[in-house]
Amino acid sequence: MRDRAVGPRDVVVGISANGGAPYVLGALAEARVVFIAVGTPSAADGSADLSGVFQVARDVAANATGPVTVIIKSTVPVGTANSLPPSCSMAVIAGR
């Protein structure tokens, strides 16, 4: 992102169907706030399929170079943030 002169006051919106867009991953390296907004379709048993949420959380953890505030803006069950994969090493702050 530095080669595009993106600075700390800029906002980068990354939309990627498969999570692999290079500029999205590059932006994660510089991001300080990330919104996770992915689909959570119903699984066969009626529960929410959270695989997309967990994959994006892993991508953030793998590409972040400093502290990042992660906001999950998807329809997810209560407690989902507590269920993030251990590789994410994220502190969870629950809102009301």
Side-chain angles (χ1 to χ4, degrees):
M1 300 285 18
R2 289 183 185 142
D3 63 328
R4 303 236 185 248
V6 175
R9 301 183 125 215
D10 292 314
V11 174
V12 176
V13 177
I15 300 172
S16 178
N18 67 2
Y23 84 93
V24 173
L25 297 177
L28 288 175
E30 302 295 326
R32 295 298 164 250
V33 177
V34 173
F35 282 84
I36 297 176
V38 299
T40 52
S42 295
D45 65 359
S47 65
D49 177 356
L50 302 175
S51 60
V53 173
F54 294 153
Q55 183 56 57
V56 174
R58 283 191 294 271
D59 289 344
V60 171
N63 290 282
T65 58
V68 179
T69 299
V70 177
I71 299 142
I72 300 175
K73 183 60 181 118
S74 295
T75 305
V76 297
V78 172
T80 297
N82 292 319
S83 302
L84 290 172
S87 63
C88 294
S89 299
M90 295 181 196
V92 176
I93 301 171
R96 294 188 187 267

